[in-house]
Amino acid sequence: MASQSFALDFSKFRDDQRFAGLEKLNIKWFKDDAAYVREIYCYDLFRRFGCWNAPRASYCRVNIKVQGDPSPAYFGVYEMVESIDKDFIEKNQSKWGSGVGFLWKGGYSNSNNANFVSTQSIGVENVDINPALSVYYAYDLKTRKNELPAAKAELLQFISDLNTKTGTEFQTWIEGRMDIPLFLKTYAVNVVVGMWDDYWVNGNNFYFYFSPNGKAYFIPYDYDNTLGTSQIIPNSGTQNLLTWGNMTQRPLITKILAIPQYQNLYKSYITQLTSTTNNLFHSTKSIPRIQAWQNMIAPFVSNDTGEDMLIEDTPAYWGNQPNYRLKTGNNQGGTNGPANYFTTKKLSVTW
């Protein structure tokens, strides 16, 4: 009996039904995180740092009762993650204005990614029980799906302006179209936690919301492969934070960081995150939080599936940096035995 992740839809059969105000909830298996903390830690850090655009996450225990079985099967400790959907948009209307605009999920599909350069893959996904019949898009519309032409026109205009405007014209335009401080604060967390399966590196795993207030908002998503689990980039603990990913095909971040005042703001956010004085990323602040979470869930990790029965301080087995640890290790980035991710990352902040 293999473990897997689940999506709960509380309104599937009753339109008005909600759980804690949510229509949907993602229940994620800690498949690639033997420490049982990486995504929990990242979403908690977003909230601590004032990135209200990030979803909420917590722990739960999963029991599944199948009709005909004598008793429920205990699947173990899982992560609950808030869905990015219409309810998420409406919950944050005090921040980005009333009404529901066009929400896009950015990802990788059929050799296309949501890099805000290419425009070949835009639409509304259709997931079929037969995978061969499913259709996916790099830019996948998640709200007001019956208005795809209007949503697509808005997205295409944004991409065109992003790529063609330069100098002071670009700065004036982007300041009117995005909350730049919030975007840079979000991206500071993103690179500090070592998120490489993201917009900047992989053109993947984010949402982008065009609010009726005229601004667009970046929404971070999917942070299980972080905190030392590294791939695509050589080493997520030591990678240059100013050249984190692709520097020619990711204009949403690279063109903003090319503006000196915004590069300085980005640097200041990273400095705040890694400071010893704030209860944020520094090892002296992070390790006690991680230990407390692990102590809380430890009695419930053993489960009926026989998988992931232990809490272990290691990154995913398939990563390219197996030496990273979260609670122990030196500051040498995996080059000399087990390395602590937090202390290694702190040393990479060199400005």
Side-chain angles (χ1 to χ4, degrees):
M1 181 171 59
S3 296
Q4 56 187 306
S5 296
F6 305 93
L8 303 181
D9 184 347
F10 302 105
S11 64
K12 178 70 174 179
F13 301 106
R14 293 174 56 183
D15 289 343
D16 299 332
Q17 186 164 262
R18 295 290 188 272
F19 172 77
L22 302 176
E23 179 183 11
K24 297 178 181 179
L25 188 63
N26 296 315
I27 307 295
K28 293 186 68 174
W29 169 31
F30 287 94
K31 177 174 67 72
D32 294 319
D33 180 16
Y36 277 79
V37 296
R38 281 176 166 82
E39 196 159 27
I40 296 289
Y41 176 93
C42 292
Y43 286 136
D44 178 72
L45 186 62
F46 277 120
R47 310 298 288 192
R48 287 173 182 270
F49 201 46
C51 297
W52 53 266
N53 50 324
R56 295 170 294 175
S58 189
Y59 291 101
C60 66
R61 286 177 278 167
V62 174
N63 293 275
I64 297 181
K65 177 69 165 68
V66 177
Q67 187 174 6
D69 287 353
S71 60
Y74 178 55
F75 275 57
V77 175
Y78 274 59
E79 175 194 5
M80 298 187 296
V81 188
E82 188 175 14
S83 291
I84 310 299
D85 54 17
K86 183 173 178 285
D87 283 348
F88 183 83
I89 297 300
E90 291 177 338
K91 183 194 73 174
N92 287 294
Q93 285 187 347
S94 63
K95 308 288 200 315
W96 47 38
S98 60
V100 176
F102 295 121
L103 173 68
W104 297 90
K105 183 178 182 181
Y108 189 87
S109 177
N110 298 325
S111 300
N112 293 291
N113 56 17
N115 56 14
F116 288 102
V117 177
S118 63
T119 58
Q120 289 84 11
S121 182
I122 302 174
V124 178
E125 73 174 12
N126 180 27
V127 181
D128 193 271
I129 193 169
N130 180 357
L133 300 178
S134 296
V135 181
Y136 301 96
Y137 296 92
Y139 307 91
D140 174 28
L141 183 62
K142 291 299 186 183
T143 56
R144 297 166 59 181
K145 297 180 182 181
N146 61 339
E147 300 176 57
L148 178 60
K152 185 174 181 178
E154 182 180 42
L155 176 62
L156 289 173
Q157 186 62 58
F158 181 90
I159 292 173
S160 176
D161 289 341
L162 176 65
N163 285 278
T164 58
K165 294 182 183 296
T166 60
T168 56
E169 182 187 21
F170 170 76
Q171 183 172 349
T172 300
W173 171 79
I174 197 68
E175 288 173 351
R177 288 296 274 142
M178 291 187 69
D179 183 336
I180 301 300
L182 177 63
F183 175 60
L184 292 178
K185 180 176 280 192
T186 302
Y187 235 97
V189 174
N190 189 84
V191 298
V192 161
V193 300
M195 171 58 157
W196 52 268
D197 192 15
D198 67 332
Y199 166 69
W200 199 346
V201 177
N202 209 20
N204 195 28
N205 284 331
F206 67 94
Y207 286 80
F208 203 69
Y209 176 54
F210 290 98
S211 169
N213 72 1
K215 289 187 179 291
Y217 296 84
F218 184 92
I219 301 170
Y221 185 72
D222 203 0
Y223 280 75
D224 47 359
N225 297 327
T226 54
L227 300 180
T229 290
S230 189
Q231 201 181 62
I232 299 182
I233 61 176
N235 189 321
S236 62
T238 59
Q239 181 86 355
N240 189 312
L241 303 183
L242 290 173
T243 55
W244 182 252
N246 190 307
M247 297 302 292
T248 61
Q249 295 291 308
R250 303 294 186 270
L252 187 66
I253 181 67
T254 57
K255 291 187 71 170
I256 292 173
L257 289 183
I259 300 171
Q261 74 185 69
Y262 287 132
Q263 185 176 126
N264 289 335
L265 183 60
Y266 171 76
K267 289 178 178 178
S268 74
Y269 287 146
I270 292 174
T271 300
Q272 291 175 46
L273 281 164
T274 55
S275 168
T276 59
T277 60
N278 300 317
N279 190 17
L280 296 168
F281 176 83
H282 194 275
S283 60
T284 59
K285 310 296 182 180
S286 296
I287 292 174
R289 295 204 301 273
I290 288 172
Q291 189 62 63
W293 287 326
Q294 291 179 335
N295 290 345
M296 178 181 68
I297 66 172
F300 311 105
V301 167
S302 180
N303 63 82
D304 294 336
T305 73
E307 296 184 273
D308 302 317
M309 304 277 276
L310 298 173
I311 296 175
E312 299 178 290
D313 192 2
T314 57
Y317 71 92
W318 45 257
N320 59 12
Q321 294 296 328
N323 284 328
Y324 274 121
R325 303 292 180 265
L326 300 182
K327 297 189 295 183
T328 61
N330 58 40
N331 60 10
Q332 298 175 40
T335 62
N336 185 23
N340 184 265
Y341 179 79
F342 300 106
T343 56
T344 294
K345 178 64 78 169
K346 170 67 175 173
L347 284 182
S348 74
V349 182
T350 57
W351 46 77

